[in-house]
Amino acid sequence: MGSDGELIDIVDEADRVTGRATRGEAYARGLRHRVAFVLVRDADDRIFVHRRTAAKRVFPSFYDMFVGGVVGAGETYDAAALREAEEELGVSGLPRPVPLFTFAYDSGTALGSWNSAVYEVRCTLPVRPQAEEIAWWDFLPEEEVERRLRTWQWTPDGLAAYELLRARRADTETARHRP
């Protein structure tokens, strides 16, 4: 079954399951569903960045600093984060991704909106990214990712997640330096 035929949970704003639909139907009808985002860092603390293939249904040929994807029907965010990270990186035995925060994303388009869980994981395994998903990849220092934010076309939901992650880190740093 192709990914358009994959069965997924449809949820409300409070993340309660209200039904099920195929992924293709969810996107065609703009139904709210669940997505897991995983920021992958290597042993040198560089971030895995990739360009999606032109064949991707959503945001084809855009860059992303997260791996991940749609949470399957009956699947937890945690399970989806690990499954998607291992699939897209082409590895097995990845440590369990650490949950960071959740947020709701509204595409502002016919694609609709999705409830999102953001994770982080350290990958010290050799990666063999999934060719059907990833056209180009590299591990980039965070400073390079920051520079590329202004020049590359990023997935809007990944960019939103990254900006929230940066804001949360800045808040943590500010709180750490308060007397």
Side-chain angles (χ1 to χ4, degrees):
M1 175 185 326
S3 67
D4 270 1
E6 175 187 3
L7 197 60
I8 62 174
D9 289 330
I10 304 305
V11 296
D12 63 15
E13 293 82 8
D15 211 33
R16 294 180 298 246
V17 176
T18 60
R20 288 198 169 151
T22 65
R23 182 194 299 218
E25 181 183 5
Y27 283 125
R29 295 180 47 209
L31 302 173
R32 182 182 292 271
H33 54 282
R34 294 173 171 160
V35 174
F37 292 84
V38 184
L39 187 78
V40 180
R41 292 183 183 273
D42 69 3
D44 296 321
D45 212 33
R46 297 174 302 178
I47 298 172
F48 181 83
V49 174
H50 66 282
R51 187 171 52 82
R52 297 162 62 87
T53 62
K56 294 290 285 179
R57 177 188 184 115
V58 178
F59 311 130
S61 299
F62 282 52
Y63 287 90
D64 204 343
M65 65 284 286
F66 293 93
V67 297
V70 175
V71 178
E75 188 176 35
T76 64
Y77 284 107
D78 290 354
L82 179 59
R83 174 184 55 78
E84 288 281 354
E86 287 188 335
E87 284 176 6
E88 289 189 33
L89 295 171
V91 301
S92 60
L94 199 62
R96 182 168 300 283
V98 176
L100 301 177
F101 60 91
T102 60
F103 74 104
Y105 178 77
D106 186 342
S107 71
T109 71
L111 292 174
S113 57
W114 38 95
N115 294 346
S116 309
V118 178
Y119 294 79
E120 188 169 41
V121 71
R122 178 124 4 235
C123 179
T124 57
L125 304 165
V127 299
R128 293 174 302 286
Q130 194 174 38
E132 311 82 54
E133 303 267 340
I134 296 174
W136 170 91
W137 66 274
D138 200 357
F139 281 96
L140 300 178
E142 195 151 2
E143 302 76 37
E144 180 67 16
V145 173
E146 293 286 331
R147 278 193 296 278
R148 299 294 182 174
L149 289 178
R150 294 181 294 279
T151 58
W152 288 357
Q153 187 174 30
W154 297 90
T155 59
D157 57 346
L159 187 57
Y162 189 71
E163 288 171 348
L164 286 169
L165 179 61
R166 288 188 331 181
R168 288 170 182 270
R169 286 191 176 142
D171 289 348
T172 300
E173 274 301 304
T174 301
R176 187 177 303 147
H177 293 14
R178 283 192 189 126

